[in-house]
């Protein structure tokens, strides 16, 4: 009897060991297949931004085949009856459940997106999205739109399911594999969504159903506005069945003083920025919502020229520098060579010292036109063009508004729309918008650092959210005398030559309320308002060359934003610059046409902490860091 019991125990132990070995082999195989499929997914994505169509086709087919085989093998292993039984085992179970769910996600993504996209890759490439001889074949894009839309939906669903997988209690190897999977699926979903939107929108917007005209604004970041800069130079782009031509150029001087689009201004915009955005083309970009800027620019252009455009597109010099990486250098009518490495400096600094004031807008427009021609003539490197466009769009340097409601609805869900940053309780995001108050072109020398953070300080669980904006005037010490008066302003608008005056408007995360503002750790009066349902606080500073100041804004999350109303400003600004900014209708219009304080004239958010931020596109990259927020009201 004892021998029998011993044999039974021994047999059970052997069976258990064999089961463990077999299960271990399955786990290893699933982990390996998931890692391999994530790598192959990355290769597949790369094939769609390759400029070589034949290479893209080969890469896509190979990667798709490998992804499909790997994911289906992993799914088969993870849905094995022994695997399912082992999911109930303590400690081991969470790893098996997470791996099984990951394998299901990848197998569904392979069937719903990867295979269709691979077959499409041979008929569609980045070259189809970029002009050849100033023409885009809209038929090719339209034919691919349905497949791209379905694949994008499958990848989006897969990405959401991957993010929902619980990795708590899992081993590092399993957790790392799923983290990699999430990253690759998320990246692929974003790319697929951008491509399918382009395939649906471009045919219509490029005139597949009839001619279209678009007003092109060239935003000048040397004089900042919320969405980038003043639109001092403009052009009209005509499209007809995919053929693209530039038909007209203009400048801010084209517009008469009598132009008036103030009827389009919401009450909240009027309270914050006055009537200026509706009266002067240089100020249409004062508000941070480009759909509003676009409609204002369209109305002012129609009143001035009689032409009703179908939409408004905006680019800045930094976006042009990205495009020059794909087109190569261009030669301007002046004989100067504009390249990716010198474009920003030439356009936003050197030109002011070299050309008279009355020639500067024309020089800027000629440069933008030259890049436009190079980008549409078909000679650009298509493998570099698409990443350049995507980068500029993500940074808010290319913005698009359509006067056609159905198209605008699709654009509104992208970074190209230039709306306030998306924000949620889980991922609160600030919008930080800078508007020049110097009345000149000093913002080429403005540098910015932003830090965000939050702390749970209240019994009701509502978080304190904070953002610190550090601005620095990097102009030379002798800027007042070494820079042209057109750049410094010459003191014409009350700002000392060489100084930089800036209005900072911080739009709090959704459902937040402003609590207070400090400058270099000292409480200061600031203004509070509501715009587009978001709590806004504004403060203005003036910086001498080499000077830095840190302005910190604190908000309460999940609050009743109605407590901050435009008519209920908490404090009135005391200095002259602030007073002018807060009372724009009392300022005197400058001889050059319009003025914010008498001055003539974007995403995706950056996220390195639990609180994100989108910042006005500037000439230099804005650094973002994590801010420590204490519960005694002191921000570090």
């Amino acid at each position: 009897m004892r021998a029998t019991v011993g044999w039974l125990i021994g047999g059970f132990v052997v069976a258990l060991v064999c089961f463990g070995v077999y299960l271990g082999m399955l786990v290893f195989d699933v982990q390996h297949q998931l890692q391999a499929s994530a790598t192959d997914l990355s290769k597949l994505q790369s094939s769609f931004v390759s400029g070589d169509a034949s290479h893209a086709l080969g890469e896509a087919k190979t990667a798709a085949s490998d992804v499909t085989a790997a994911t289906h093998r992993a799914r088969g292993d993870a849905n094995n009856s022994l695997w399912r039984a082992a999911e109930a085992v303590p400690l081991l179970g969470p790893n098996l459940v997470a791996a099984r769910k990951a394998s299901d996600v990848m197998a569904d993504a392979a069937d719903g997106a990867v295979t269709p996209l691979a077959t499409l890759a041979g008929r569609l490439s980045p070259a189809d999205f970029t002009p050849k001889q100033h023409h885009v074949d809209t038929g090719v894009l339209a034919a691919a739109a349905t497949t791209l839309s379905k694949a994008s939906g499958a990848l989006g669903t897969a990405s959401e399911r991957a993010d929902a997988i619980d990795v708590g209690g899992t081993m590092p190897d399993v957790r790392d594999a799923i983290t990699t999977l999430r990253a690759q699926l998320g990246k692929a979903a974003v790319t697929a969504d951008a491509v399918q939107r382009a395939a649906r929108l471009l045919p219509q917007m490029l005139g597949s159903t009839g001619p279209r005209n678009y007003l092109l604004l060239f935003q000048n970041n040397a004089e900042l506005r919320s969405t980038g800069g003043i639109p001092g130079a403009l052009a009209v782009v005509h499209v007809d069945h995919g053929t693209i031509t530039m038909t007209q150029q203009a400048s801010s001087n084209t517009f008469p003083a009598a132009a008036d689009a103030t009827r389009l201004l919401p009450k909240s915009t009027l309270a914050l920025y006055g009537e200026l955005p509706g009266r002067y083309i240089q100020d249409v970009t004062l508000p941070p919502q480009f759909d509003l800027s676009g409609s204002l620019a369209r109305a002012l252009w129609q009143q001035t020229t009689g032409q009703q455009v179908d939409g408004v597109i905006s680019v800045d010099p930094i976006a042009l520098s990205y495009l020059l990486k794909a087109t190569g250098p261009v030669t301007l009518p002046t004989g100067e060579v504009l390249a990716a490495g010198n474009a920003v400096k030439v356009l936003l600094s050197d030109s002011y010292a070299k050309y008279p004031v009355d020639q500067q807008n024309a020089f800027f427009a000629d440069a933008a036109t030259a890049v436009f021609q190079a980008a549409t003539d078909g000679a650009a490197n298509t493998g570099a063009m698409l990443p350049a466009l995507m980068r500029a769009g993500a940074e808010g340097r290319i913005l698009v508004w359509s006067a056609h409601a159905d198209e605008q609805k699709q654009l509104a869900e992208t970074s190209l729309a230039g709306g306030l940053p998306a924000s949620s309780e889980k991922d609160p995001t600030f919008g930080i918008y800078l508007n020049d108050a110097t009345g000149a072109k000093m913002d080429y020398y403005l540098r910015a650092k932003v830090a965000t953070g939050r702390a749970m300080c209240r019994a009701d669980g509502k978080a304190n959210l904070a953002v610190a904006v550090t601005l620095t005037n990097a102009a030379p010490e002798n800027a007042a005398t070494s820079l042209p008066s057109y750049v410094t302003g010459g003191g014409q608008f009350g700002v000392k030559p060489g100084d930089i005056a800036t209005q900072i408007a911080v739009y709090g995360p959704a459902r937040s309320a402003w609590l207070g503002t400090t400058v270099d750790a000292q409480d200061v009066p600031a203004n509070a308002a509501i715009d587009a349902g978001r709590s806004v606080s504004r403060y203005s500073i003036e910086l001498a060359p080499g000077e830095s100041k840190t302005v910190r804004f604190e908000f309460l999350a999940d609050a009743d934003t109605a407590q901050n109303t435009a008519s209920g400003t908490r404090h009135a600004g005391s200095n002259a610059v602030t007073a002018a900014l807060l009372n724009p209708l009392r300022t005197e219009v400058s001889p050059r046409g319009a003025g914010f304080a008498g001055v003539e004239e974007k995403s995706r958010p950056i996220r390195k902490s639990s609180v994100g931020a989108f910042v006005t596109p500037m000439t230099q990259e804005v650094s973002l860091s994590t801010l420590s927020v204490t519960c005694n009201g002191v921000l570090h």
Side-chain angles (χ1 to χ4, degrees):
M1 182 66 181
R2 290 180 179 177
T4 300
V5 172
W7 277 107
L8 287 174
I9 293 175
F12 177 75
V13 170
V14 170
L16 187 61
V17 170
C18 291
F19 173 78
V21 170
Y22 176 64
L23 187 60
M25 291 174 63
L26 285 178
V27 171
F28 176 80
D29 188 54
V30 169
Q31 177 188 343
H32 173 73
Q33 299 304 327
L34 289 177
Q35 290 173 332
S37 61
T39 300
D40 290 327
L41 187 63
S42 179
K43 291 180 181 178
L44 181 63
Q45 181 186 355
S46 298
S47 74
F48 281 95
V49 294
S50 167
D52 184 338
S54 60
H55 175 74
L57 175 59
E59 282 284 317
K61 286 184 175 179
T62 300
S65 177
D66 291 345
V67 167
T68 301
T71 56
H72 279 271
R73 178 170 175 175
R75 169 183 269 179
D77 288 343
N79 282 277
N80 183 292
S81 57
L82 292 178
W83 183 292
R84 287 281 195 159
E87 289 181 358
V89 177
L91 300 180
L92 179 62
N95 296 280
L96 300 181
V97 171
R100 173 173 54 79
K101 289 183 177 181
S103 67
D104 288 341
V105 166
M106 278 304 298
D108 289 342
D111 293 339
V114 174
T115 299
L117 284 176
T119 59
L120 192 60
R123 295 180 283 121
L124 186 71
S125 75
D128 295 309
F129 290 87
T130 54
K132 303 180 187 69
Q133 299 301 313
H134 311 289
H135 179 80
V136 174
D137 188 343
T138 58
V140 172
L141 301 181
T146 300
T147 300
L148 287 169
S149 182
K150 290 180 179 178
S152 174
L155 284 171
T157 299
S159 180
E160 292 175 359
R161 288 172 59 194
D163 289 343
I165 295 174
D166 184 4
V167 294
T170 59
M171 296 181 295
D173 286 348
V174 174
R175 186 164 56 251
D176 290 347
I178 293 176
T179 297
T180 300
L181 182 64
R182 286 172 173 170
Q184 295 296 350
L185 279 173
K187 189 176 180 181
V190 168
T191 301
D193 181 67
V195 172
Q196 68 89 14
R197 285 180 189 274
R200 281 190 292 150
L201 280 169
L202 280 177
Q204 296 180 69
M205 296 189 72
L206 289 175
S208 63
T209 58
R212 296 266 188 110
N213 292 292
Y214 296 96
L215 185 62
L216 189 58
L217 307 181
F218 301 110
Q219 293 205 54
N220 186 334
N221 314 78
E223 190 169 346
L224 285 174
R225 291 294 184 261
S226 290
T227 59
I230 62 167
L234 307 91
V236 174
V237 176
H238 178 78
V239 295
D240 188 1
H241 289 85
T243 298
I244 308 168
T245 55
M246 188 174 286
T247 60
Q248 186 177 352
Q249 291 187 9
S251 73
S252 56
N253 297 327
T254 304
F255 295 79
D260 186 355
T262 54
R263 61 183 175 78
L264 300 176
L265 294 172
K267 291 181 179 179
S268 60
T269 302
L270 281 166
L272 280 166
Y273 305 103
E275 292 189 347
L276 295 178
R279 291 191 177 274
Y280 305 106
I281 192 67
Q282 304 97 318
D283 291 322
V284 297
T285 49
L286 279 175
Q289 303 98 331
F290 190 71
D291 59 343
L292 176 58
S293 300
S295 63
L296 291 169
R298 179 180 187 246
L300 293 175
W301 181 258
Q302 183 178 7
Q303 290 180 31
T304 301
T305 68
Q307 182 183 39
Q308 189 171 28
V309 295
D310 293 278
V312 178
I313 302 170
S314 168
V315 298
D316 72 5
I318 295 82
L320 296 182
S321 75
Y322 297 163
L323 296 180
L324 284 166
K325 292 181 180 179
T327 66
V330 297
T331 301
L332 305 183
T334 59
E336 292 177 87
V337 176
L338 201 65
N342 72 353
V344 175
K345 185 173 185 294
V346 168
L347 293 173
L348 299 184
S349 179
D350 296 350
S351 62
Y352 298 122
K354 190 171 183 178
Y355 299 104
V357 173
D358 60 355
Q359 295 180 20
Q360 287 165 1
N361 279 341
F363 175 77
F364 200 85
D366 285 343
T369 300
V371 177
F372 172 83
Q373 296 294 343
T376 59
D377 67 8
N381 180 334
T382 56
M385 180 63 74
L386 190 57
L389 290 170
M390 292 178 68
R391 179 182 180 185
E395 294 176 1
R397 301 188 184 280
I398 295 179
L399 302 173
V400 182
W401 171 77
S402 175
H404 300 267
D406 56 335
E407 296 170 3
Q408 181 58 26
K409 183 178 180 180
Q410 295 181 54
L411 285 168
E413 299 175 0
T414 73
S415 59
L416 293 176
L420 296 178
S423 182
S424 65
E425 183 178 354
K426 179 183 177 182
D427 296 311
T429 303
F430 286 101
I432 301 164
Y433 301 101
L434 308 177
N435 278 299
D436 172 75
T438 312
K441 300 295 186 288
M442 286 295 294
D443 290 326
Y444 175 77
Y445 301 99
L446 188 66
R447 305 291 182 265
K449 295 181 179 179
V450 172
T452 61
R454 64 177 161 185
M456 303 300 296
C457 302
R458 298 162 54 102
D460 60 9
K462 295 180 180 180
N464 281 49
L465 307 172
V467 58
V469 182
T470 300
L471 298 182
T472 301
N473 181 346
E477 186 176 351
N478 63 346
T481 56
S482 65
L483 297 178
S485 60
Y486 185 72
V487 173
T488 66
Q492 183 177 1
F493 305 112
V495 178
K496 183 179 177 181
D499 285 8
I500 300 177
T502 307
Q503 182 201 70
I504 306 169
V506 173
Y507 282 62
R511 292 181 51 78
S512 67
W514 174 67
L515 295 177
T517 300
T518 66
V519 176
D520 295 333
Q522 300 298 314
D523 289 336
V524 294
N527 292 83
I530 298 295
D531 187 24
R534 302 281 274 269
S535 180
V536 185
S537 180
R538 301 188 306 172
Y539 189 78
S540 298
I541 61 174
E542 183 173 334
L543 302 170
E547 185 180 10
S548 295
K549 286 184 180 179
T550 298
V551 186
R552 305 178 182 183
F553 303 82
E554 189 166 359
F555 289 74
L556 177 65
D558 194 27
D560 178 9
T561 56
Q563 63 184 283
N564 289 338
T565 62
S567 60
T569 301
R570 294 191 176 186
H571 302 282
S574 57
N575 63 58
V577 173
T578 304
L581 288 168
L582 300 181
N583 299 280
L585 297 184
R586 301 178 187 175
T587 63
E588 191 173 6
V589 177
S590 77
R592 288 182 282 150
F596 189 50
V599 179
E600 181 199 29
E601 231 334 65
K602 145 222 268 244
S603 53
R604 83 192 92 177
I606 309 170
R607 187 175 299 278
K608 288 190 177 179
S609 71
S610 59
V611 182
F614 176 84
V615 187
T616 289
M618 302 174 65
T619 59
Q620 300 290 327
E621 184 177 355
V622 178
S623 67
L624 185 71
S625 59
T626 300
L627 180 70
S628 175
V629 184
T630 65
C631 290
N632 60 3
V634 178
L635 309 181
H636 296 284

